[in-house]
Each structure stands twice: as C-alpha cells, then as structure tokens.
Amino acid sequence: MSLTGRRIVVAGGGIGGLAAALALRQRGAEVRVLEQAEAITEVGAGIQVSPNGLRVIEALGLVQPLVSRASRGRAVVLRDGPSGAQVLRLDLARLPEGQGYHFVHRADLVELLATAARAAGVEIRLLQKVRAVTPGPAPRSRSATATGSAEN
Ligand SMILES: Cc1cc2nc3c(=O)[nH]c(=O)nc-3n(C[C@H](O)[C@H](O)[C@H](O)COP(=O)(O)OP(=O)(O)OC[C@H]3O[C@@H](n4cnc5c(N)ncnc54)[C@H](O)[C@@H]3O)c2cc1C
C-alpha cells in the first residue's frame, strides 16, 4: 500500500517508534518522529530478536546490519530464581535456516533503526514531548495529529 502524500507523526523514538517510522517512510509517507529525550539512545542490556522480530527486520532491509551486531542464540534457558534449577530450555539450534534467534544490545538496535530511518528521510526531532493526540478528521487530509512541544 502506498502512503505517498500522507504526513505521519510518530510519538516516541524507541524501538517500536523507529521501526514504524522507517516502515511508513518506505511506503512513501512523510514521517516525523517526536522524541521527548535529548538523544536517541537506549539504556539497558540486550534484547532478544526472535524469528518473528527478524521478519520485521528483514522487511525493513536490515538483516545484515543486525546480524553483524548480534550474537546468534543457541538456546534460551529459564531458571527458577531461588534455586537456579532449570525450568525450561528452548533449543534454538532446531529453528529452520533463516529463522535465527539473535541477541543484540538495545543501544545497537536503536542506533541501527535511527540511522536507517534518517537515511530514508525520516525527520527525528528531539526534546519534543507529545502532550496531546487528536484522532479523527484533521486539516489537510491528516487522519490524526499529534501536538509536540518542547519541554522547556
Ligand atoms: C525487562 C524487559 C525485557 C525485554 N526483553 C525483550 C526481548 O528480549 N525481546 C523483545 O522483543 N522485547 C523485549 N522487551 C519488550 C521491548 O523492550 C519493548 O517491546 C520495546 O522496547 C517497545 O518499544 P517502544 O518503542 O514501543 O517503547 P520504548 O522502547 O519504551 O520507547 C518509547 C520512547 O518514546 C519516548 N516517549 C514516551 N512518551 C513520550 C511523549 N509523550 N512524547 C515524546 N516521546 C515520548 C520515550 O522517551 C522512548 O524513547 C522487554 C521489555 C522489558 C521491560
């Protein structure tokens, strides 16, 4: 579906917002991301990209750059907290080729998505906190408007 001519505002430049912004841009929309933070970044540790997540990465054209930043998982083991006893083990080696399970640092994934989004023409505005979203008919054929305004 072509979105050429549509103007879309994405609230939040996290993993979800950046992936959505890139996907919408790849379909021709004019996309702006409003992020409240002063930088596009992620704290925390790793994130597991499961086969369904990898399908999204593939659709965005980012499999190779993701794989180059990631470690391929061989297994996921769930353990009981107090005892450490194994509760469940997912043998990831049994997944078919092309359905890998990857572990990547969150900061690397966000940086990858933000770089690709910017390169595709997505406008990312920082220090913009969305205060209100008004759904429904909007001026100049926009189906929704988001009002971003600087925090300070
Ligand atoms: C402990 C933990 C472990 C997880 N592990 C995994 C995993 O292994 N694999 C996996 O697939 N998922 C995992 N998840 C889920 C995954 O982290 C989330 O699905 C994902 O981060 C959601 O992305 P998001 O962009 O929607 O939200 P977020 O990553 O929370 O990003 C939201 C962004 O929006 C901005 N924002 C918020 N409000 C506003 C506003 N009003 N105006 C402007 N900007 C705003 C924030 O500053 C932030 O940058 C885990 C989650 C947790 C908590």
Side-chain angles (χ1 to χ4, degrees):
M1 182 175 80
S2 172
L3 295 175
T4 301
R6 301 291 292 268
R7 292 189 294 169
I8 298 175
V9 174
V10 175
I15 293 169
L18 291 170
L22 177 56
L24 293 164
R25 178 68 194 136
Q26 288 177 341
R27 280 154 188 77
E30 189 183 314
V31 186
R32 176 179 296 165
V33 175
L34 302 179
E35 167 56 49
Q36 64 183 356
E38 64 182 6
I40 297 291
T41 185
E42 258 284 6
V43 292
I47 188 165
Q48 304 170 33
V49 180
S50 54
N52 56 341
L54 197 64
R55 292 295 295 274
V56 175
I57 297 292
E58 183 180 22
L60 295 173
L62 298 175
V63 167
Q64 283 313 315
L66 179 99
V67 167
S68 71
R69 290 164 168 79
S71 298
R72 184 158 183 173
R74 290 188 300 243
V76 171
V77 178
L78 304 185
R79 294 188 181 279
D80 175 61
S83 70
Q86 180 174 310
V87 175
L88 178 73
R89 184 178 194 280
L90 302 176
D91 185 0
L92 304 178
R94 296 173 62 184
L95 287 170
E97 188 60 35
Q99 292 191 22
Y101 207 104
H102 294 82
F103 298 82
V104 62
H105 196 288
R106 282 175 181 268
D108 289 340
L109 179 56
V110 163
E111 190 266 340
L112 173 64
L113 290 168
T115 299
R118 285 192 174 106
V122 172
E123 180 189 4
I124 300 176
R125 289 193 180 180
L126 305 174
L127 292 171
Q128 301 289 312
K129 186 178 178 74
V130 174
R131 300 186 187 282
V133 176
T134 308
R140 294 190 294 278
S141 76
R142 291 169 74 176
S143 59
T145 58
T147 305
S149 57
E151 273 276 70
N152 50 10

